């Protein structure tokens, strides 16, 4: 099927950079655990064996080391921020690189004997596979890192945390690794919607160039306002945040999200089929 | 038959195509001639739906373009249309993956005809070899029509001769060809039909042999009359 | 066969003319096989449809003939061959006479010059 061939092709185009990103993340996080844990052990040794501080007093002053703590260090947030930045950048690059440079691959893509919307789907699928890939690697890394921590720091000096606890304590990880399935669908659903709207805006720009950039921004802002309208309205008319029942708000947002996604796909289909220009 | 009917196109306020009409038949080589900026490339892009038009219509065998049209009409742009990191073999593989009409036998034949090395990377090809690879990717499709944008421009004389040979060979036998050029000398005897463009309109449209028989003029004579005014 | 064609006469007529010259000169013999249309187009670097038209015309003039799927051949018809030769000679003489007449040279003088020139060249 052409869609799958295109996905495979798009993934292959990014795979090298992606592997580098994964590598940086793995090395940095594992190194972070080792360095931080050894530092901590060093501190413990100095305090207890050289300065003869009682253990209880030390623990009271410095606290136990935990994975949750480590996830908030630069060793973790750095590479994760890098991955996020790279993927955000790639959201644009995945389209624009087909037009720019000496090789105008967009000719080839637009002339494939397949529905052009498949290009749109293949690019969005690629982005999602990349995001989910990073999350999966993070999920595999956490137990491994936990193991390293356990090997370096003795039981008395560390807080034993489950993976879920680590994610919760990190603060930010629960955004991409929610602990509830529904939350997972909400977060990734919103993510999907944002990408679909952004791609539509990019297609506006690629179709009408300068004018299209303006149209794209207007489209993006309109979608955002529409999606946030239930919340904005309650704030604006001053009826307070709890004007809707939580479930009611959820259903309204779900409906709005679906409308925005459907409209964006419809518009994208029209643009890529009739208005796009090489 | 490819029918271009009264197509119009604007870039900003500039009218690039101002009602262009012509037909290109199967089994004939139709040549769009115009000095640079006459909108030749835009016409080919419009036929392939690579750019929208603001008026008129284009029919291919009586139908508007749809996705299967790309199995019937191949476009060979004057640009590199594969990724630079690909080898020629990989570019061929890409075509084979997506097109039912890919003819591997012909592709291999073209490879040796053009003396291209399949393992060579596209980024390291000379201009002439890039043009040949582009031609290969188009000619190896069993399509009814071939559109070629400036196949002779900016390449060495030997590559030009080799490419000219394509036009007299079985490689385009029975197919309809539209080529654009701003330089007629090399190919005056190779083409069937000329569509002369200027300022976004068709100035003159004729079969070369008829022009010679009826008016005793060469294509260049007519171009001189048209563009000197 | 490789030739430069002029750009102002139909190419197919120039192709036929070449064939006639070769037939008249004996470079193409009666019954000799000739290239296919495509081969000819390729050799002369001309449009295949033009080659096709030249062959069609030559078949109509009975200069060449094609038996079923075999390659085309030069005619064996003596009368046609003679005609070709005579036609070319007549044409050449005509154009010569047209060129010389305005100069008002006596015929004897011209013949003498022709004889001299002809022997020099050979």
């Amino acid at each position: 099927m052409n869609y799958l061939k295109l996905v495979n092709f798009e993934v292959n185009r990014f795979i090298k950079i992606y592997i580098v990103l994964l590598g940086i993340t793995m090395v940095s996080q594992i190194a972070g655990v080792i360095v931080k844990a050894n530092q901590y052990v060093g501190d413990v040794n100095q305090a207890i064996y050289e300065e003869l501080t009682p253990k209880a007093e030390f623990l009271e002053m410095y606290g136990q080391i935990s994975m949750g703590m480590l996830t908030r260090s630069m060793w973790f947030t750095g590479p994760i921020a890098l991955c996020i930045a790279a993927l955000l950048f790639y959201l644009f690059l995945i389209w624009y690189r087909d037009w720019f440079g000496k090789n105008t691959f967009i000719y080839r893509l637009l002339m494939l004997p397949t529905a052009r919307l498949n290009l749109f789907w293949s690019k969005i699928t690629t982005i999602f596979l990349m995001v989910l890939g990073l999350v999966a690697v993070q999920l595999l890394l956490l137990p491994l890192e936990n193991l390293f921590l356990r090997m370096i720091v003795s039981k008395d000096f560390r807080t034993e945390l489950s993976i879920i606890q680590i994610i919760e304590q990190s603060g930010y990880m629960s955004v991409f690794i929610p602990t509830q399935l529904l939350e997972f669908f909400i977060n990734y659903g919103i993510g999907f919607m944002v990408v679909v709207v952004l791609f539509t805006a990019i297609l506006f720009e690629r179709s009408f160039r300068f004018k299209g950039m303006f149209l794209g921004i207007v489209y993006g802002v309109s979608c955002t306002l529409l999606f946030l309208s239930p919340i904005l309205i309650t704030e604006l008319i001053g009826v307070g945040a709890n004007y809707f029942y939580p479930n009611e708000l959820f259903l309204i947002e779900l409906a709005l999200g679906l409308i925005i996604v459907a409209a964006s796909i419809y518009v994208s289909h029209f643009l890529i089929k009739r208005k796009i220009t090489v | 038959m490819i029918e271009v009917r009264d197509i119009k196109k604007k870039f900003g306020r500039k009218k690039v195509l101002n009602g262009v009409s012509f037909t290109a038949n199967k089994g004939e080589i139709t040549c769009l001639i115009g000095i640079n900026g006459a909108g030749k490339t835009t016409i080919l892009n419009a036929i392939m739906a690579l750019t929208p038009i603001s008026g008129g219509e284009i029919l291919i065998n009586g139908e508007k373009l749809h996705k299967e049209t790309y199995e019937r009409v191949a476009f060979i742009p004057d640009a590199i249309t594969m990724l630079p990191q690909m080898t020629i073999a990989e570019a061929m593989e890409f075509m084979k993956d997506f097109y039912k009409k890919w003819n591997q036998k012909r592709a291999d034949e073209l490879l040796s005809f053009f003396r291209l090395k399949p393992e060579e990377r596209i980024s390291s090809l000379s201009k002439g070899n890039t043009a040949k690879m582009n031609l290969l990717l188009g000619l190896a499709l069993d399509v009814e029509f071939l559109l070629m944008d400036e196949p002779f421009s900016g390449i060495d004389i030997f590559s030009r001769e080799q490419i000219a040979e394509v036009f007299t060979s079985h490689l385009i036998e029975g197919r309809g060809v539209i080529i654009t050029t701003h330089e007629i000398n090399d190919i005056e005897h190779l083409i069937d039909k000329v569509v002369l463009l200027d300022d976004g309109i068709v100035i003159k449209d004729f079969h070369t042999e008829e022009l010679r028989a009826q008016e005793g003029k060469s294509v260049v004579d007519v171009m001189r009359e048209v563009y000197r005014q | 066969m490789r030739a430069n064609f002029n750009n102002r006469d139909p190419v197919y007529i120039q192709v036929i003319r070449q064939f006639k010259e070769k037939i008249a000169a004996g470079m193409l013999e009666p019954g000799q096989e000739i290239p296919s249309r495509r081969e000819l187009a390729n050799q002369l670097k001309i449009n295949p449809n033009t080659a096709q038209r030249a062959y069609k015309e030559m078949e109509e003039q009975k200069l060449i003939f094609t038996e079923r799927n075999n390659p085309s051949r030069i005619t064996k018809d003596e009368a046609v061959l003679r005609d070709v030769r005579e036609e070319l000679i007549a044409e050449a003489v005509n154009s010569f006479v047209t060129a010389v007449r305005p100069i008002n040279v006596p015929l004897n003088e011209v013949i003498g010059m022709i004889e001299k020139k002809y022997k020099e060249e050979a």
Side-chain angles (χ1 to χ4, degrees), chain A residues 208-271:
Chain A
F208 307 111
R209 301 294 144 102
F210 194 70
K211 240 187 277 168
M213 194 161 76
F214 179 71
L215 287 172
I217 291 169
V218 168
Y219 183 79
V221 171
S222 315
C223 287
T224 313
L225 288 178
L226 179 65
F227 189 68
L228 297 178
S229 61
I231 296 156
L232 290 175
I233 286 167
T234 55
E235 292 295 324
L236 280 178
I237 39 179
V239 288
N242 293 328
Y243 182 71
F244 294 113
Y245 296 115
N247 278 345
E248 193 184 8
L249 187 65
F250 173 75
L251 288 176
I252 293 172
E253 288 295 1
L254 182 67
L256 286 176
L258 288 174
I259 289 169
I260 290 170
V261 167
S264 298
I265 290 167
Y266 181 80
V267 171
S268 292
H269 174 70
F270 171 75
L271 291 173

Coordinates of all heavy atoms in Angstrom, one line a residue, chain A residues 208-271:
Chain A
F208 N -0.3 29.3 -1.1 CA -0.4 30.7 -1.5 C 0.8 31.5 -1.0 O 0.7 32.8 -1.0 CB -1.7 31.3 -0.9 CG -2.9 30.5 -1.2 CD1 -3.6 29.7 -0.2 CD2 -3.4 30.4 -2.5 CE1 -4.7 29.0 -0.5 CE2 -4.5 29.7 -2.8 CZ -5.2 29.0 -1.8
R209 N 1.8 30.9 -0.6 CA 3.1 31.5 -0.2 C 2.8 32.7 0.8 O 2.2 32.4 1.8 CB 3.9 32.0 -1.4 CG 4.2 30.9 -2.4 CD 5.2 30.0 -1.7 NE 5.0 28.6 -2.1 CZ 5.7 27.9 -3.0 NH1 6.7 28.5 -3.6 NH2 5.4 26.6 -3.3
F210 N 3.2 33.9 0.5 CA 3.1 34.9 1.5 C 1.7 35.1 2.0 O 1.5 35.2 3.2 CB 3.7 36.2 0.9 CG 4.0 37.2 2.0 CD1 5.1 37.0 2.9 CD2 3.2 38.4 2.2 CE1 5.3 38.0 3.9 CE2 3.5 39.3 3.2 CZ 4.5 39.1 4.0
K211 N 0.8 35.2 1.1 CA -0.6 35.4 1.5 C -1.0 34.2 2.3 O -1.8 34.3 3.3 CB -1.5 35.5 0.2 CG -2.3 36.7 0.1 CD -3.3 36.7 -1.0 CE -2.6 37.0 -2.4 NZ -3.5 36.7 -3.5
G212 N -0.5 33.0 1.9 CA -0.9 31.8 2.6 C -0.4 31.7 4.0 O -1.0 31.1 4.9
M213 N 0.8 32.3 4.3 CA 1.3 32.4 5.6 C 0.4 33.1 6.5 O 0.0 32.6 7.6 CB 2.7 33.1 5.6 CG 3.5 32.9 6.8 SD 5.2 33.3 6.5 CE 5.1 35.1 6.6
F214 N -0.2 34.2 6.0 CA -1.2 35.0 6.7 C -2.4 34.1 7.0 O -2.9 34.0 8.1 CB -1.5 36.2 5.9 CG -2.5 37.1 6.6 CD1 -2.3 37.8 7.7 CD2 -3.8 37.2 6.0 CE1 -3.2 38.6 8.3 CE2 -4.8 38.0 6.6 CZ -4.5 38.7 7.7
L215 N -2.9 33.5 5.9 CA -4.1 32.6 6.1 C -3.8 31.5 7.1 O -4.7 31.1 7.9 CB -4.4 32.0 4.7 CG -5.0 32.9 3.7 CD1 -5.1 32.2 2.3 CD2 -6.4 33.3 4.1
G216 N -2.6 30.9 7.0 CA -2.3 29.8 7.9 C -2.3 30.3 9.4 O -2.8 29.6 10.2
I217 N -1.8 31.4 9.6 CA -1.7 32.0 11.0 C -3.2 32.2 11.4 O -3.6 31.8 12.5 CB -0.9 33.2 11.1 CG1 0.6 32.9 10.9 CG2 -1.1 33.9 12.4 CD1 1.5 34.0 10.7
V218 N -4.0 32.8 10.6 CA -5.4 33.1 10.9 C -6.1 31.8 11.2 O -6.8 31.6 12.2 CB -6.1 33.8 9.8 CG1 -7.6 33.9 10.0 CG2 -5.5 35.3 9.6
Y219 N -5.8 30.8 10.4 CA -6.5 29.5 10.6 C -6.1 28.9 11.9 O -6.9 28.4 12.7 CB -6.1 28.5 9.4 CG -6.8 27.2 9.6 CD1 -8.1 27.0 9.2 CD2 -6.1 26.1 10.1 CE1 -8.8 25.8 9.3 CE2 -6.8 24.8 10.2 CZ -8.1 24.7 9.8 OH -8.8 23.6 10.0
G220 N -4.8 28.9 12.2 CA -4.3 28.3 13.5 C -4.9 29.0 14.7 O -5.3 28.4 15.6
V221 N -4.9 30.4 14.6 CA -5.4 31.2 15.7 C -6.9 30.8 15.9 O -7.4 30.6 17.0 CB -5.2 32.7 15.5 CG1 -5.9 33.5 16.6 CG2 -3.7 33.0 15.6
S222 N -7.7 30.8 14.8 CA -9.1 30.5 14.9 C -9.3 29.1 15.5 O -10.2 29.0 16.4 CB -9.7 30.5 13.5 OG -9.3 31.6 12.7
C223 N -8.6 28.1 15.1 CA -8.8 26.8 15.7 C -8.5 26.8 17.2 O -9.2 26.2 18.0 CB -7.8 25.8 15.0 SG -8.4 25.4 13.3
T224 N -7.4 27.5 17.6 CA -7.1 27.6 19.0 C -8.2 28.3 19.8 O -8.7 27.8 20.8 CB -5.8 28.4 19.2 OG1 -4.8 28.0 18.2 CG2 -5.2 28.3 20.6
L225 N -8.7 29.4 19.2 CA -9.8 30.1 19.9 C -11.0 29.2 20.0 O -11.7 29.1 21.0 CB -10.1 31.4 19.2 CG -9.1 32.5 19.3 CD1 -9.5 33.7 18.5 CD2 -8.9 32.9 20.8
L226 N -11.3 28.5 18.9 CA -12.5 27.7 18.9 C -12.4 26.6 20.0 O -13.3 26.3 20.7 CB -12.7 27.0 17.5 CG -13.9 26.1 17.4 CD1 -15.2 26.9 17.6 CD2 -13.9 25.4 16.0
F227 N -11.2 26.0 20.0 CA -11.0 24.9 20.9 C -11.1 25.4 22.4 O -11.6 24.7 23.3 CB -9.6 24.2 20.7 CG -9.4 22.9 21.4 CD1 -10.2 21.8 21.1 CD2 -8.5 22.9 22.5 CE1 -10.1 20.6 21.9 CE2 -8.4 21.7 23.2 CZ -9.1 20.6 22.9
L228 N -10.5 26.6 22.6 CA -10.5 27.1 24.0 C -11.8 27.8 24.3 O -12.0 28.3 25.5 CB -9.3 28.0 24.2 CG -8.0 27.3 24.1 CD1 -6.8 28.4 24.3 CD2 -7.8 26.2 25.1
S229 N -12.7 28.0 23.3 CA -13.9 28.8 23.5 C -14.7 28.5 24.8 O -15.1 29.4 25.5 CB -14.8 28.8 22.3 OG -15.2 27.6 22.0
P230 N -15.0 27.2 25.1 CA -15.8 26.9 26.3 C -15.2 27.5 27.6 O -15.9 28.0 28.4 CB -15.8 25.4 26.4 CG -15.4 24.9 25.0 CD -14.6 25.9 24.4
I231 N -13.8 27.4 27.6 CA -13.1 27.9 28.8 C -13.1 29.5 28.8 O -13.4 30.1 29.7 CB -11.7 27.4 28.9 CG1 -11.8 25.8 29.0 CG2 -10.9 28.0 30.0 CD1 -10.6 25.1 28.5
L232 N -12.8 30.0 27.6 CA -12.8 31.4 27.4 C -14.1 32.1 27.7 O -14.2 33.1 28.4 CB -12.3 31.8 26.0 CG -10.9 31.5 25.7 CD1 -10.6 31.8 24.2 CD2 -9.9 32.3 26.6
I233 N -15.2 31.5 27.2 CA -16.5 32.1 27.4 C -16.8 32.1 28.9 O -17.2 33.2 29.4 CB -17.6 31.2 26.7 CG1 -17.5 31.5 25.2 CG2 -19.0 31.6 27.2 CD1 -18.3 30.6 24.3
T234 N -16.6 31.0 29.6 CA -16.9 31.0 31.0 C -16.1 32.1 31.8 O -16.6 32.8 32.7 CB -16.7 29.7 31.7 OG1 -15.3 29.3 31.4 CG2 -17.6 28.6 31.1
E235 N -14.9 32.3 31.3 CA -14.0 33.3 32.0 C -14.5 34.7 31.6 O -14.6 35.6 32.5 CB -12.6 33.2 31.5 CG -11.9 31.9 32.0 CD -11.8 31.9 33.5 OE1 -11.5 33.0 34.1 OE2 -11.9 30.8 34.1
L236 N -14.9 34.9 30.3 CA -15.3 36.2 29.9 C -16.6 36.7 30.5 O -16.7 37.8 30.9 CB -15.3 36.3 28.3 CG -14.0 36.4 27.6 CD1 -14.2 36.4 26.1 CD2 -13.2 37.6 28.0
I237 N -17.6 35.8 30.4 CA -18.8 36.3 31.0 C -18.8 36.2 32.5 O -19.8 36.5 33.2 CB -20.1 35.6 30.4 CG1 -19.8 34.1 30.2 CG2 -20.5 36.2 29.1 CD1 -21.0 33.3 29.6
G238 N -17.7 35.7 33.0 CA -17.5 35.7 34.5 C -18.4 34.8 35.3 O -18.8 35.0 36.4
V239 N -18.8 33.7 34.6 CA -19.6 32.7 35.3 C -18.8 31.7 36.2 O -19.3 30.9 36.8 CB -20.5 31.9 34.4 CG1 -21.6 32.8 33.8 CG2 -19.7 31.3 33.2
G240 N -17.4 31.9 36.0 CA -16.6 31.1 36.9 C -16.2 29.8 36.2 O -16.8 29.3 35.2
A241 N -15.2 29.2 36.7 CA -14.6 28.0 36.0 C -15.4 26.8 36.1 O -15.3 25.9 35.2 CB -13.2 27.7 36.6
N242 N -16.3 26.7 37.0 CA -17.1 25.5 37.1 C -18.5 25.6 36.5 O -19.4 24.9 36.9 CB -17.2 25.1 38.6 CG -15.9 24.7 39.1 OD1 -15.0 24.2 38.4 ND2 -15.6 25.0 40.4
Y243 N -18.6 26.4 35.5 CA -19.9 26.7 34.9 C -20.4 25.4 34.2 O -21.6 25.0 34.4 CB -19.8 27.8 33.8 CG -21.1 28.1 33.1 CD1 -22.1 28.7 33.8 CD2 -21.3 27.7 31.8 CE1 -23.3 29.0 33.2 CE2 -22.5 28.0 31.2 CZ -23.5 28.7 31.9 OH -24.7 28.9 31.2
F244 N -19.5 24.6 33.5 CA -19.9 23.3 33.0 C -19.6 22.2 34.0 O -18.6 22.3 34.7 CB -19.1 23.1 31.7 CG -19.5 24.0 30.6 CD1 -18.5 25.0 30.1 CD2 -20.7 24.0 30.0 CE1 -18.8 25.8 29.1 CE2 -21.0 24.8 28.9 CZ -20.1 25.8 28.5
Y245 N -20.4 21.1 33.9 CA -19.9 19.9 34.6 C -18.7 19.4 34.0 O -18.5 19.6 32.8 CB -21.0 18.8 34.5 CG -22.3 19.2 35.1 CD1 -23.5 19.3 34.3 CD2 -22.5 19.3 36.5 CE1 -24.7 19.6 34.8 CE2 -23.7 19.6 37.0 CZ -24.8 19.7 36.2 OH -26.1 20.0 36.7
P246 N -17.8 18.8 34.8 CA -16.5 18.4 34.2 C -16.8 17.4 32.9 O -16.1 17.6 31.9 CB -15.9 17.6 35.3 CG -16.4 18.2 36.5 CD -17.8 18.7 36.2
N247 N -17.7 16.5 33.1 CA -18.0 15.6 31.9 C -18.5 16.4 30.7 O -18.3 16.0 29.6 CB -19.0 14.5 32.3 CG -18.3 13.4 33.1 OD1 -17.0 13.3 33.0 ND2 -19.0 12.6 33.7
E248 N -19.3 17.4 31.0 CA -19.9 18.2 30.0 C -18.8 18.9 29.2 O -18.8 18.9 28.0 CB -20.9 19.2 30.6 CG -21.8 19.9 29.6 CD -22.7 20.9 30.3 OE1 -22.4 21.2 31.5 OE2 -23.6 21.5 29.7
L249 N -17.9 19.5 30.0 CA -16.8 20.2 29.4 C -16.0 19.3 28.5 O -15.6 19.6 27.4 CB -15.9 20.8 30.5 CG -14.8 21.7 30.0 CD1 -15.3 23.0 29.3 CD2 -13.9 22.1 31.1
F250 N -15.7 18.1 29.1 CA -15.0 17.1 28.3 C -15.6 16.7 27.0 O -15.0 16.7 25.9 CB -14.8 15.8 29.2 CG -14.2 14.7 28.4 CD1 -12.8 14.7 28.2 CD2 -15.0 13.6 28.0 CE1 -12.3 13.6 27.5 CE2 -14.4 12.6 27.3 CZ -13.0 12.6 27.0
L251 N -17.0 16.5 27.0 CA -17.7 16.2 25.8 C -17.7 17.3 24.8 O -17.5 17.1 23.6 CB -19.1 15.8 26.1 CG -19.2 14.4 26.8 CD1 -20.7 14.1 27.2 CD2 -18.7 13.3 25.9
I252 N -17.8 18.6 25.3 CA -17.8 19.7 24.4 C -16.4 19.8 23.7 O -16.3 20.0 22.5 CB -18.1 21.0 25.2 CG1 -19.5 21.0 25.7 CG2 -17.8 22.3 24.3 CD1 -19.8 22.2 26.6
E253 N -15.4 19.7 24.5 CA -14.0 19.7 24.0 C -13.8 18.6 23.0 O -13.1 18.8 22.0 CB -13.0 19.7 25.1 CG -12.9 20.9 26.0 CD -12.4 22.2 25.2 OE1 -12.1 22.1 24.0 OE2 -12.3 23.2 25.8
L254 N -14.3 17.4 23.3 CA -14.1 16.3 22.4 C -14.8 16.6 21.1 O -14.2 16.4 20.0 CB -14.7 15.1 23.0 CG -14.6 13.8 22.2 CD1 -13.1 13.3 22.1 CD2 -15.5 12.7 22.8
A255 N -16.0 17.1 21.1 CA -16.7 17.5 19.9 C -15.9 18.6 19.1 O -15.7 18.4 17.9 CB -18.1 18.0 20.2
L256 N -15.5 19.6 19.8 CA -14.8 20.7 19.1 C -13.5 20.1 18.5 O -13.1 20.5 17.4 CB -14.4 21.8 20.1 CG -15.6 22.7 20.6 CD1 -15.1 23.7 21.6 CD2 -16.2 23.4 19.3
G257 N -12.8 19.3 19.3 CA -11.5 18.7 18.7 C -11.8 17.9 17.5 O -11.1 18.1 16.5
L258 N -12.8 17.1 17.5 CA -13.2 16.3 16.3 C -13.5 17.2 15.1 O -13.1 17.0 14.0 CB -14.3 15.3 16.6 CG -14.0 14.2 17.5 CD1 -15.2 13.4 17.9 CD2 -12.9 13.3 16.9
I259 N -14.3 18.3 15.4 CA -14.6 19.2 14.3 C -13.4 19.8 13.7 O -13.2 19.9 12.5 CB -15.6 20.3 14.9 CG1 -17.0 19.7 15.2 CG2 -15.7 21.5 13.9 CD1 -17.9 20.6 16.0
I260 N -12.5 20.3 14.6 CA -11.3 20.9 14.2 C -10.4 20.0 13.3 O -9.9 20.3 12.2 CB -10.5 21.5 15.4 CG1 -11.2 22.7 16.0 CG2 -9.1 21.9 14.9 CD1 -10.6 23.2 17.3
V261 N -10.3 18.7 13.8 CA -9.5 17.8 13.1 C -10.1 17.5 11.7 O -9.4 17.5 10.6 CB -9.3 16.4 13.9 CG1 -8.8 15.3 13.0 CG2 -8.4 16.7 15.1
A262 N -11.4 17.3 11.7 CA -12.1 17.0 10.4 C -12.0 18.1 9.4 O -11.7 17.9 8.3 CB -13.6 16.6 10.7
A263 N -12.2 19.3 10.0 CA -12.1 20.5 9.1 C -10.7 20.6 8.5 O -10.5 20.9 7.3 CB -12.5 21.8 9.9
S264 N -9.7 20.4 9.4 CA -8.4 20.6 8.9 C -8.0 19.6 7.8 O -7.3 19.9 6.9 CB -7.4 20.4 10.1 OG -7.7 21.4 11.1
I265 N -8.5 18.3 8.0 CA -8.2 17.3 7.0 C -8.9 17.6 5.7 O -8.3 17.5 4.6 CB -8.6 15.9 7.6 CG1 -7.6 15.5 8.7 CG2 -8.5 14.9 6.4 CD1 -8.1 14.3 9.5
Y266 N -10.1 18.1 5.8 CA -10.8 18.5 4.6 C -10.1 19.6 3.9 O -9.9 19.6 2.7 CB -12.2 19.0 5.0 CG -13.1 19.3 3.8 CD1 -13.7 18.4 3.0 CD2 -13.2 20.7 3.5 CE1 -14.4 18.7 1.9 CE2 -14.0 21.0 2.3 CZ -14.6 20.1 1.6 OH -15.3 20.4 0.5
V267 N -9.7 20.7 4.6 CA -9.0 21.8 4.0 C -7.7 21.3 3.4 O -7.3 21.7 2.3 CB -8.8 22.9 5.0 CG1 -7.9 24.0 4.5 CG2 -10.1 23.5 5.5
S268 N -6.9 20.5 4.2 CA -5.6 20.0 3.7 C -5.8 19.2 2.4 O -5.0 19.4 1.5 CB -5.0 19.1 4.7 OG -4.6 19.9 5.9
H269 N -6.8 18.4 2.4 CA -7.1 17.6 1.2 C -7.3 18.5 0.0 O -6.8 18.3 -1.1 CB -8.4 16.7 1.5 CG -8.8 16.0 0.3 ND1 -8.1 14.9 -0.3 CD2 -9.9 16.2 -0.5 CE1 -8.8 14.5 -1.3 NE2 -9.9 15.2 -1.5
F270 N -8.1 19.5 0.2 CA -8.4 20.5 -0.9 C -7.1 21.2 -1.3 O -6.8 21.3 -2.5 CB -9.4 21.5 -0.4 CG -9.6 22.7 -1.3 CD1 -10.3 22.5 -2.5 CD2 -9.1 23.9 -1.1 CE1 -10.5 23.6 -3.4 CE2 -9.3 25.0 -1.9 CZ -10.0 24.8 -3.1
L271 N -6.3 21.7 -0.3 CA -5.1 22.4 -0.7 C -4.1 21.6 -1.4 O -3.5 21.9 -2.4 CB -4.5 23.0 0.6 CG -5.3 24.1 1.3 CD1 -4.6 24.5 2.6 CD2 -5.3 25.3 0.4

